[in-house]
Amino acid sequence: MVRRPVAVVVAAVLVAEAVGVAALNWFLGIVVDRQDMSLAGLDPDMMSTSSKIGGIVFGLYFAFCGLVALLVAVRDRPPAGFGRILLISAAVVHGLLGAVAWGLVGWHAFLFMVVVLALIVLLLMTYDRQEGPSAAEPRDAGPQDEGPVPVSGPPAPTTP
């Protein structure tokens, strides 16, 4: 099947993205730290520190999403509970980042974000929960849901 390779690709892309996001924010923090000017009175040390912390936080977030995707590939079972919520939130984040990237960076970044979004959604859809074996078996030929069941008793009078 195609489920495991998709999960492995999603895991690899998310881990690579985690490293890239953390490295980019760390680099931007160093650039801000080496400048000797402030933005609207903000402390450059504070901006540098917050950029580095933000890079670490988002890097860990994407790395954890990659770990969830890797566990899905290894176990060959759908993500459940917190892992499923985490992957759904990663899909939403990539959708929002794609919309922002279109205007700020260009269509290349938008295309990358949409591809990652599509991979995450494909992972979630291929591992969608399926019904058990009882859903594949036909139901017994019992009473169908055709409305109210008539009550036994004397027949209702008919009017001509």
Side-chain angles (χ1 to χ4, degrees):
M1 270 212 163
V2 74
R3 297 186 321 177
R4 277 190 175 185
V6 167
V8 170
V9 168
V10 169
V13 167
L14 286 174
V15 168
E17 189 176 10
V19 171
V21 165
L24 177 66
N25 277 315
W26 195 270
F27 173 74
L28 290 175
I30 291 172
V31 168
V32 169
D33 195 29
R34 291 187 179 170
Q35 293 183 25
D36 197 22
M37 49 195 247
S38 66
L39 178 68
L42 295 174
D43 182 25
D45 292 330
M46 184 63 72
M47 291 190 307
S48 170
T49 304
S50 63
S51 175
K52 291 176 182 177
I53 290 172
I56 291 170
V57 167
F58 274 106
L60 289 174
Y61 168 71
F62 287 135
F64 194 59
C65 290
L67 177 67
V68 169
L70 185 63
L71 288 175
V72 166
V74 169
R75 294 177 181 165
D76 198 23
R77 291 181 17 210
F82 184 69
R84 186 169 183 85
I85 292 170
L86 195 66
L87 287 175
I88 291 170
S89 72
V92 170
V93 165
H94 279 86
L96 293 172
L97 286 177
V100 170
W102 178 274
L104 295 179
V105 182
W107 67 272
H108 293 94
F110 170 76
L111 184 64
F112 174 75
M113 290 296 164
V114 169
V115 166
V116 176
L117 168 66
L119 284 171
I120 295 172
V121 170
L122 183 62
L123 169 70
L124 290 169
M125 295 304 291
T126 56
Y127 278 100
D128 197 16
R129 298 195 188 275
Q130 298 176 359
E131 298 289 328
S134 63
E137 298 174 7
R139 296 191 320 175
D140 291 336
Q144 301 295 324
D145 295 331
E146 297 177 2
V149 178
V151 179
S152 62
T158 57
T159 57

